[in-house]
Amino acid sequence: MFPAGLAWPKVRVLQVLWALLAVLLASRRLWALKDFQECTWHVVLNEFHVVGEDGVEDRFFEQEPMDTVGKVFQTLVDSPVDPNEEYLGFPYYLKINYLCDQKLYNLSPEHFVGISSRPLWYTVDQAPVLILGGIPNEKYVLMTDTSFKDHSLVELSIDSCWVGSVYCPHSGFTATIYDTIATESTLFIRQNQLVYYFTGTYTTLHESNRGSDSWVRVLASECIKKLCPAHFHANGSEYVMALTVGKNEGFIHFGTITDGQVSFEMLPKQWSVCQQIAVYTCNIIWSEYIAGEHTLLLLVETGYGGSSKLYQVVNYNRVTDEMDVVYKVPEFVPEARGLEFLMILGTETYTNTPMVPKGISFNPYNNLIFIWGNFLLQSSDKENFIYLADFPKEQTIKYIARSFLGNMAIVTETEEIWYLVEGTYRVYQLFPSRGWDVHMSLQLMQQSSLYASNETMVTLFYEDNKLYQVPGGALGETLGHPRRADTSSPGPGFPLQLVYLMYKHEGRLVKRPMPVEKLLMYQQYTNHYDLERKGNYSTLSFTNFCPFSVMRLRNLPRPQRYTRQERYRARPPSILERSGFHTKNSLAIYQGLVYYLLWLHSKYDKPYADPVHDPTWRWWRNNKQDKDYFFFLASNWRSAGGVYIDMDSYEKIYNLEPEYELPERIFLDKGTEYSFTIFLSAQGRSFRAQAELGSAFQLQTQVDVGVVLANPGCIEALVKQEVLINRNSVLFLITLKDKKLCYDQGISGHHLMKTSMMVNVVGSSGLCFQETHLEPHMQGNLMVPVLIGCPPGKRLAFDITYTLEYSRRQNKHYFDCVHVDPEMPCFLFRDSVCPFPSPAQFTALLPPPLCALPPLSSPAGHPPFVLRHLTFPLSVLSFSGQANFFSWSQPPSNPIVFYPFFLIQDLVTGDSGSFQGSYVLLVVGGGPTLESIRDYSNDEIYRFNSPQDKTNSLIWTTRTTRTTKDSAYHIMSYESPGIEWLCLENSPCYDNVPRGIFSPEFFFKVLVSNRGVDTSTYCNYQLTFLVHIHGLPLSSKRALFIFMVSTSVFVGLVIFYIIFCLLWPLMVKGCTMLRWKINDIIASDSYYYCASISGISSMSSLRHSRQGSIVSSRVEEDGAEPREAMEGQLMTLASHLPPPPATITPPLQGPS
């Protein structure tokens, strides 16, 4: 036992030791987590020829694919890739390093030290470049395309000629760039009262030697006092607002940026704001644009003589040009009397401090509006405001930074930082605070490179938590967020600080997270603790104000259906080398495979649906059967190219499992619901039994959950509570459902309605934290952005497979075109009278029978005359295999019905099902060939498709009786009886001339849309596809003309054949006699010529030879004559010959 006198000193020593141990343990813990806090994965781009080199970074400038991998793929002769396909590569490679120095480059202290912070304005989730001004008396702007992982300090070459200084009120001239706004394609800045914008590539702007003089001055004749950002894009455009002063004060210049084109219009269109609110002079302080309502919220200052100023919130509608005052700001700050918040009703007491508003902020997800200045007002309906009393009236808000996920940071004129969870009423001071002092001391003790005793905050902003270390998170992965065990929500992420640090006369710019959870924990622990004496010593205990001890999310659905994120798996090929390291060739192969995968992804969005709903199906469908063979080659190190490509490593992921957190956002179609369960373990004994009249005892708990909906008229939430008394826990089953009331129809992923659901555990705001292996995580407040409309990734496709199958089953047969196209099968225009094989089964020597002709019209009471089994030689007449070459006044008795079916394909989840809604089918274009297809005008579309047409121009008809409200078009569904092709006289498919011996063809461009006729979905499905029709009939005149010409030609050929057969023997005999006479004349002349030279003896031999040749010739020419007649003629001819002359032999002569 210790002496009594030493007990208290010992206790004091123990207290000091406990405090020191806590600090040491905290310091040790921070040292252990140093790598996690200050190190991160760093991703840069490298061109192909510098892959692997250190310290090399390239900017993303080249966007077109490059043919850098084709030669490598040609060597893969025994791999599953198709050598006939064209494999391209990206112009850059990703290099990923694990780095631990977050500092940016050295900057001059005079640019940042002692300078107040300024807001960072940009279009959320759209702007690829961030820009920040505010450097005193310099035309410098700070730019980055890596979210300040690196940056560029660019001096702008802009003219400072202030033309409007003559008529624009001003207090002085300065070179400082004040307001800066970054959109997806354009950067805006304001210097003095001049506005400039830049549209181009960041690579050009990043270079200091060029590009800085490409800024364009806009609104040159106006006096602009402020630029106001629009944080969200809408309708394919982005927006910016310029507030004027001087001659056009009371108006606002509203800028629209669409595809890099900037245009401004002055609003209101007729009367100024001052005139419409019936004041002589007014001053527009701030403008906030609500894109979903097409309205502007204007904060207007009005003053009457020497009296105090009044402030009003004015709502202006861009579409109707209407304006009304929605709220009048109280003249003085209310007296809260120790309350956290106060509802402004007009009956409360006020202080002597005037309310001086500075701006308005609107969150389109939860519809919360904040009016801020030396106060903070919050509203969800623009009319009823709540005064948040925790913010001191002695401070004035300079700007606010919102995550738009439920959290908001506030920066005052004195650089104080305050924090608010949206939807609650407690405002917490983060800096300066006792929590900040504890955190700063621990960081300096740790010698953190992110903190210094001399630092200046440049800006404070929120950013997507996928890119940085956030509470319980890490660097975003390719396939989604990293898994976190037992966390209650994804959290909005830390607010991020861009801070200029001075350490040992060296300045650097760093970006660091603002540790909100740590600061609140330290502040809570330092303000609420107890010293409890136990025996001879005292123990230190902290008060836990959180109403629960454990909070978990359970029974979460698979996220892809609601997050609408498409995911692929693409692993690099295996290296068949003992080192296992990749080479440039293997990297090139991997790039080509990834690019081809993305190409298949983009190509998959086509009108005709594949038999298998997967973009990668076409890639491996011909090589799946050889999978074991490729694996055998790789197992024996015999794969060409030294790599093994596993076909299963390149696939689309449809079955992603849920994590223990709510998704980043959810999409709800018409009537869709999303449900999950919250598990809460209560602190201590939180249950009690209470008897109700006429019922048994009911268990009640002090752990309550509230669900707040931003638009309760559009969505509803059902909460079911289940008490687990044996576990001292409560289960809350929460179901969020669309009410089918607030949205019409829209294109997939466009024009979505923004709303949200907030789930709050009562009494947990800023008090409940969960310790994780990385950082503490705030619990008790969940916010999920909800987007109502047609979710992205859903499309309508023509189900060609089932259409062919069903048509074959209903029509009993199917005839394809002669030249089969597997990507676009043909459909027959009209059935034939008697069935026969399709043209593909015909042989080249057998023409089809004429039973393909429809029956001829006949008088009543007489059977129709049908040509049957009449065939012609192929060289004489040919008909198309299934041609209805002749058109008749009466349609055939067996028409072919076209039964189109469509699929709703979900590209995210892989679901594919029959579209069972209603739709309108229109033929909007066509032509006899693919090259001659043209689009029809609106008048032609009406005449060719409307059942009300009276011009005999219909292309098709149907037995469906349901039509649109104006009876202009038929409304069809999957239960419709199909359509029949007509091609009436004034239609474009009437009387087409066949190209060759086959029947006429026609390509119809068909539009299918459910717009305005389908109530089963919010999706406005529009599908345009081609239908190839063959076997079209000819007109009566053309058919009769062809028939007459064909008949005339045929009859003429028959007559010619008969005449030819009858006259052929006589012609042969006459020709023979003529030839004989000609031969006699030639023989006689030859005889006399030879007789004068050769003599009698030679003539004798010539006579016998001539007689033999003549006999031989005549025998060959006319073998039908008897030999006796031939010999008699020869003897007669010989008797008429003259006697041979005497032979004279010349004397021999010797040489002279």
Side-chain angles (χ1 to χ4, degrees):
M1 178 178 290
F2 294 99
L6 298 177
W8 283 110
K10 184 63 177 179
V11 171
R12 296 189 185 97
V13 173
L14 287 176
Q15 293 176 4
V16 175
L17 291 177
W18 275 112
L20 180 60
L21 180 60
V23 173
L24 292 177
L25 289 177
S27 178
R28 181 179 179 182
R29 179 175 178 271
L30 290 175
W31 276 106
L33 296 179
K34 181 177 180 180
D35 290 340
F36 294 96
Q37 288 181 332
E38 301 184 17
C39 300
T40 184
W41 292 101
H42 187 56
V43 181
V44 298
L45 294 177
N46 280 155
E47 293 184 356
F48 182 75
H49 63 278
V50 294
V51 171
E53 298 183 9
D54 294 332
V56 179
E57 294 186 19
D58 294 305
R59 298 286 175 180
F60 186 81
F61 181 72
E62 299 291 341
Q63 301 183 14
E64 296 297 328
M66 304 179 66
D67 188 10
T68 58
V69 300
K71 295 182 179 179
V72 181
F73 274 87
Q74 293 177 0
T75 62
L76 305 180
V77 293
D78 53 2
S79 296
V81 297
D82 188 356
N84 297 325
E85 292 287 345
E86 183 179 6
Y87 289 87
L88 301 177
F90 298 99
Y92 303 99
Y93 285 76
L94 286 179
K95 182 173 68 175
I96 305 176
N97 296 326
Y98 192 65
L99 300 178
C100 305
D101 189 356
Q102 293 287 339
K103 73 174 183 178
L104 299 184
Y105 306 105
N106 293 335
L107 297 172
S108 301
E110 60 270 14
H111 293 158
F112 298 95
V113 175
I115 307 303
S116 63
S117 64
R118 48 275 195 193
L120 182 66
W121 290 335
Y122 57 93
T123 307
V124 178
D125 297 330
Q126 293 290 119
V129 174
L130 301 180
I131 180 173
L132 192 63
I135 299 178
N137 301 318
E138 298 287 351
K139 297 180 182 179
Y140 286 123
V141 290
L142 200 62
M143 294 186 181
T144 177
D145 63 344
T146 60
S147 184
F148 291 107
K149 292 178 181 176
D150 56 18
H151 75 285
S152 299
L153 190 62
V154 180
E155 182 179 7
L156 305 183
S157 178
I158 57 177
D159 58 344
S160 299
C161 181
W162 196 356
V163 180
S165 61
V166 178
Y167 53 85
C168 291
H170 65 283
S171 58
F173 174 82
T174 178
T176 307
I177 304 297
Y178 285 106
D179 302 329
T180 57
I181 301 176
T183 65
E184 184 178 18
S185 60
T186 309
L187 303 176
F188 290 89
I189 64 171
R190 179 182 68 88
Q191 184 198 41
N192 298 313
Q193 295 176 347
L194 308 178
V195 178
Y196 301 85
Y197 73 88
F198 173 86
T199 301
T201 61
Y202 178 77
T203 304
T204 304
L205 191 60
H206 174 264
E207 300 176 1
S208 58
N209 57 347
R210 64 188 183 99
S212 62
D213 56 349
S214 300
W215 293 84
V216 179
R217 184 176 174 182
V218 68
L219 301 175
S221 60
E222 298 293 333
C223 307
I224 307 301
K225 65 177 181 181
K226 183 184 288 294
L227 293 180
C228 295
H231 296 284
F232 292 91
H233 68 97
N235 303 322
S237 300
E238 297 169 285
Y239 308 97
V240 66
M241 290 149 285
L243 306 184
T244 63
V245 68
K247 61 177 182 179
N248 287 325
E249 193 165 11
F251 291 91
I252 182 174
H253 292 277
F254 187 80
T256 303
I257 306 100
T258 305
D259 297 331
Q261 301 296 323
V262 180
S263 61
F264 280 89
E265 63 173 334
M266 192 168 66
L267 300 176
K269 299 178 181 178
Q270 296 181 358
W271 306 101
S272 69
V273 175
C274 306
Q275 293 172 324
Q276 295 196 44
I277 63 176
V279 296
Y280 180 72
T281 60
C282 67
N283 178 23
I284 301 177
I285 301 176
W286 193 269
S287 175
E288 188 80 4
Y289 181 58
I290 305 177
E293 303 175 1
H294 304 284
T295 59
L296 289 168
L297 281 181
L298 306 177
L299 181 59
V300 182
E301 174 190 3
T302 61
Y304 299 94
S307 61
S308 59
K309 297 180 180 179
L310 300 179
Y311 299 91
Q312 304 178 23
V313 178
V314 178
N315 187 82
Y316 171 74
N317 192 295
R318 289 181 56 209
V319 178
T320 62
D321 199 33
E322 296 178 352
M323 179 178 295
D324 57 335
V325 178
V326 295
Y327 185 70
K328 294 183 178 180
V329 180
E331 187 175 357
F332 297 98
V333 177
E335 179 63 56
R337 297 179 181 177
L339 300 176
E340 293 182 357
F341 66 93
L342 182 65
M343 188 74 182
I344 304 297
L345 299 176
T347 60
E348 55 278 347
T349 60
Y350 292 89
T351 65
N352 296 326
T353 305
M355 270 192 168
V356 184
K358 297 293 184 180
I360 300 178
S361 179
F362 174 77
N363 188 342
Y365 288 105
N366 55 20
N367 292 336
L368 287 182
I369 300 174
F370 289 91
I371 303 176
W372 46 269
N374 61 339
F375 60 92
L376 195 60
L377 294 179
Q378 173 181 295
S379 174
S380 58
D381 59 2
K382 306 178 187 177
E383 297 179 358
N384 302 303
F385 281 82
I386 297 176
Y387 171 67
L388 303 182
D390 285 343
F391 184 79
K393 60 181 180 299
E394 295 78 16
Q395 293 289 335
T396 300
I397 299 176
K398 180 167 54 175
Y399 64 91
I400 64 175
R402 303 184 72 169
S403 67
F404 299 101
L405 294 175
N407 289 22
M408 182 173 70
I410 301 168
V411 179
T412 67
E413 295 287 352
T414 59
E415 302 298 326
E416 291 185 0
I417 301 176
W418 294 71
Y419 174 76
L420 171 67
V421 177
E422 297 182 6
T424 64
Y425 312 110
R426 289 292 305 272
V427 185
Y428 299 93
Q429 184 176 1
L430 300 181
F431 172 83
S433 65
R434 298 183 63 181
W436 179 264
D437 295 338
V438 174
H439 175 71
M440 192 67 177
S441 300
L442 295 176
Q443 294 298 320
L444 294 178
M445 183 184 300
Q446 181 190 351
Q447 298 181 358
S448 172
S449 61
L450 300 180
Y451 294 85
S453 58
N454 185 7
E455 60 182 34
T456 301
M457 185 175 69
V458 178
T459 187
L460 182 72
F461 63 101
Y462 275 93
E463 194 172 77
D464 191 352
N465 60 353
K466 292 186 294 184
L467 300 178
Y468 299 94
Q469 289 185 336
V470 295
L475 180 68
E477 299 175 354
T478 304
L479 298 182
H481 298 296
R483 183 179 298 273
R484 293 201 297 263
D486 291 342
T487 56
S488 60
S489 71
F494 286 130
L496 300 173
Q497 282 183 306
L498 190 63
V499 184
Y500 185 80
L501 304 180
M502 286 295 297
Y503 181 73
K504 295 182 180 180
H505 306 288
E506 180 185 7
R508 63 180 184 271
L509 200 63
V510 300
K511 185 183 70 172
R512 68 190 185 196
M514 189 73 178
V516 176
E517 281 83 354
K518 280 186 178 181
L519 298 179
L520 294 180
M521 284 181 59
Y522 295 156
Q523 191 165 337
Q524 179 180 340
Y525 292 160
T526 55
N527 293 334
H528 305 282
Y529 64 90
D530 295 322
L531 284 174
E532 183 180 357
R533 183 175 182 181
K534 292 184 178 180
N536 296 329
Y537 60 91
S538 297
T539 59
L540 181 64
S541 63
F542 299 97
T543 304
N544 192 348
F545 294 95
C546 183
F548 58 86
S549 59
V550 176
M551 179 177 180
R552 297 190 181 97
L553 296 183
R554 294 182 175 179
N555 303 327
L556 290 165
R558 288 186 172 180
Q560 288 178 278
R561 182 177 300 276
Y562 300 96
T563 61
R564 314 305 302 171
Q565 294 178 351
E566 300 186 56
R567 300 168 184 264
Y568 287 87
R569 178 178 290 110
R571 298 190 181 99
S574 301
I575 305 301
L576 302 182
E577 293 184 4
R578 300 191 182 277
S579 63
F581 291 106
H582 279 275
T583 63
K584 285 191 174 183
N585 287 341
S586 64
L587 291 177
I589 293 174
Y590 185 42
Q591 260 217 356
L593 294 173
V594 172
Y595 180 85
Y596 195 78
L597 180 65
L598 297 178
W599 179 78
L600 289 174
H601 169 78
S602 61
K603 184 182 178 183
Y604 188 69
D605 190 10
K606 57 182 182 178
Y608 280 51
D610 283 339
V612 179
H613 181 35
D614 193 331
T616 62
W617 170 75
R618 288 179 173 268
W619 196 358
W620 311 117
R621 60 175 177 172
N622 297 327
N623 296 311
K624 279 291 186 180
Q625 66 273 12
D626 300 328
K627 177 181 178 181
D628 296 335
Y629 169 71
F630 297 134
F631 180 77
F632 169 78
L633 292 179
S635 301
N636 292 273
W637 299 71
R638 293 185 177 273
S639 296
V643 296
Y644 167 59
I645 301 175
D646 186 7
M647 291 179 282
D648 294 335
S649 296
Y650 299 87
E651 60 180 353
K652 195 168 186 178
I653 301 174
Y654 297 113
N655 55 353
L656 192 68
E657 294 296 330
E659 300 176 355
Y660 295 97
E661 60 184 17
L662 292 178
E664 182 182 357
R665 62 179 61 89
I666 61 176
F667 294 81
L668 293 182
D669 198 355
K670 196 169 190 176
T672 307
E673 58 182 45
Y674 180 85
S675 61
F676 62 97
T677 302
I678 299 179
F679 174 82
L680 293 174
S681 294
Q683 293 277 10
R685 297 181 179 180
S686 300
F687 300 97
R688 65 178 183 270
Q690 180 178 354
E692 296 182 359
L693 183 63
S695 63
F697 285 92
Q698 299 291 332
L699 288 176
Q700 293 187 357
T701 175
Q702 296 181 0
V703 180
D704 297 324
V705 170
V707 179
V708 181
L709 302 177
N711 298 91
C714 302
I715 55 178
E716 62 181 351
L718 304 177
V719 182
K720 181 180 180 181
Q721 175 182 319
E722 180 182 355
V723 178
L724 306 177
I725 190 171
N726 59 332
R727 301 181 60 181
N728 197 29
S729 303
V730 189
L731 285 178
F732 294 94
L733 175 61
I734 301 177
T735 302
L736 179 67
K737 186 177 181 180
D738 174 69
K739 298 176 71 173
K740 307 180 181 180
L741 297 176
C742 295
Y743 196 83
D744 185 14
Q745 280 182 309
I747 302 175
S748 176
H750 292 76
H751 312 295
L752 302 172
M753 176 183 175
K754 295 181 177 68
T755 184
S756 66
M757 174 189 66
M758 291 185 291
V759 181
N760 299 322
V761 180
V762 178
S764 65
S765 175
L767 301 175
C768 298
F769 307 94
Q770 179 189 22
E771 288 285 349
T772 66
H773 66 286
L774 290 177
E775 299 287 348
H777 179 65
M778 188 180 297
Q779 288 188 312
N781 297 278
L782 308 176
M783 177 181 174
V784 182
V786 180
L787 299 172
I788 300 176
C790 184
K794 299 188 71 174
R795 74 182 189 109
L796 185 69
F798 181 38
D799 190 1
I800 184 63
T801 303
Y802 187 72
T803 298
L804 291 176
E805 177 185 349
Y806 189 84
S807 298
R808 183 182 292 108
R809 186 167 63 247
Q810 294 296 321
N811 296 321
K812 310 303 181 185
H813 56 264
Y814 168 71
F815 297 115
D816 204 344
C817 286
V818 176
H819 304 289
V820 178
D821 183 4
E823 297 293 334
M824 188 186 298
C826 292
F827 295 92
L828 185 61
F829 176 85
R830 185 172 294 168
D831 201 358
S832 37
V833 176
C834 61
F836 52 86
S838 61
Q841 300 174 348
F842 290 164
T843 62
L845 299 179
L846 295 178
L850 273 183
C851 64
L853 299 174
L856 296 172
S857 301
S858 59
H862 296 272
F865 174 75
V866 180
L867 296 175
R868 296 182 180 272
H869 309 297
L870 178 61
T871 59
F872 302 101
L874 184 64
S875 59
V876 177
L877 186 62
S878 296
F879 290 93
S880 176
Q882 54 214 37
N884 297 314
F885 237 39
F886 305 100
S887 179
W888 312 95
S889 59
Q890 176 180 330
S893 58
N894 297 321
I896 288 290
V897 181
F898 177 58
Y899 300 95
F901 289 92
F902 304 94
L903 291 173
I904 296 298
Q905 291 186 334
D906 195 326
L907 304 180
V908 179
T909 64
D911 296 338
S912 180
S914 176
F915 174 58
Q916 300 183 358
S918 302
Y919 61 90
V920 173
L921 186 146
L922 301 175
V923 177
V924 298
T929 62
L930 288 174
E931 295 77 14
S932 61
I933 294 178
R934 70 175 183 88
D935 294 331
Y936 300 147
S937 63
N938 293 333
D939 179 67
E940 290 176 324
I941 292 175
Y942 179 84
R943 292 190 293 107
F944 298 159
N945 298 273
S946 176
Q948 303 296 322
D949 176 65
K950 305 300 182 182
T951 62
N952 203 25
S953 304
L954 282 179
I955 293 179
W956 61 278
T957 187
T958 181
R959 299 178 183 177
T960 302
T961 58
R962 183 185 174 193
T963 61
T964 55
K965 294 181 180 180
D966 56 357
S967 301
Y969 304 108
H970 291 286
I971 298 178
M972 306 182 67
S973 68
Y974 74 104
E975 297 177 344
S976 298
I979 66 175
E980 300 176 12
W981 303 108
L982 296 179
C983 290
L984 297 183
E985 183 176 359
N986 295 323
S987 65
C989 55
Y990 177 78
D991 192 25
N992 279 276
V993 180
R995 297 182 303 158
I997 64 174
F998 300 109
S999 60
E1001 300 178 349
F1002 205 87
F1003 294 87
F1004 292 110
K1005 188 176 182 180
V1006 180
L1007 171 66
V1008 174
S1009 175
N1010 69 334
R1011 177 71 176 177
V1013 298
D1014 186 20
T1015 59
S1016 63
T1017 179
Y1018 286 142
C1019 292
N1020 176 17
Y1021 293 121
Q1022 290 187 0
L1023 173 66
T1024 303
F1025 63 100
L1026 296 179
V1027 177
H1028 188 185
I1029 302 298
H1030 67 130
L1032 273 73
L1034 301 177
S1035 64
S1036 301
K1037 294 181 180 179
R1038 190 179 299 276
L1040 181 61
F1041 173 76
I1042 294 179
F1043 178 76
M1044 295 300 296
V1045 172
S1046 301
T1047 303
S1048 301
V1049 172
F1050 174 73
V1051 173
L1053 290 176
V1054 171
I1055 295 174
F1056 178 76
Y1057 177 76
I1058 294 175
I1059 295 175
F1060 182 80
C1061 291
L1062 293 177
L1063 298 180
W1064 176 252
L1066 299 177
M1067 293 173 63
V1068 170
K1069 185 174 182 180
C1071 291
T1072 303
M1073 295 183 65
L1074 179 62
R1075 184 177 180 183
W1076 174 249
K1077 292 182 178 181
I1078 293 173
N1079 289 339
D1080 288 345
I1081 296 173
I1082 294 174
S1084 176
D1085 293 341
S1086 299
Y1087 170 76
Y1088 285 110
Y1089 176 76
C1090 294
S1092 61
I1093 299 176
S1094 301
I1096 296 176
S1097 60
S1098 300
M1099 190 61 191
S1100 177
S1101 61
L1102 177 63
R1103 181 186 304 119
H1104 294 289
S1105 175
R1106 187 65 176 177
Q1107 291 175 356
S1109 63
I1110 293 175
V1111 171
S1112 177
S1113 174
R1114 296 193 60 178
V1115 169
E1116 292 178 358
E1117 292 179 358
D1118 192 2
E1121 295 183 0
R1123 177 178 292 271
E1124 292 79 5
M1126 293 290 293
E1127 292 178 353
Q1129 292 178 1
L1130 291 174
M1131 292 300 295
T1132 304
L1133 179 63
S1135 63
H1136 289 82
L1137 295 175
T1143 303
I1144 300 176
T1145 304
L1148 298 175
Q1149 297 181 359
S1152 58

